[in-house]
Amino acid sequence: MFRAIADVLRQIGGAIATVVTLPFRALARLFGGASSSTRSRRV
């Protein structure tokens, strides 16, 4: 039972982390893409 609760909490934490980091990743891609005209783009 504790393992099931831990799995649920882990999944919730992962989802929250994804939602929180998505805007920052989008911003980094925007600014990185805007400033990558002089250097090669990383994927």
Side-chain angles (χ1 to χ4, degrees):
M1 173 154 177
F2 288 115
R3 182 174 293 172
I5 294 174
D7 285 340
V8 170
L9 288 176
R10 197 175 299 123
Q11 287 179 349
I12 292 174
I16 292 174
T18 300
V19 170
V20 168
T21 57
L22 267 177
F24 295 108
R25 264 192 254 165
L27 283 175
R29 186 176 297 166
L30 276 176
F31 290 116
S35 66
S36 70
S37 59
T38 55
R39 55 192 169 153
S40 62
R41 183 179 215 148
R42 284 184 297 176
V43 178

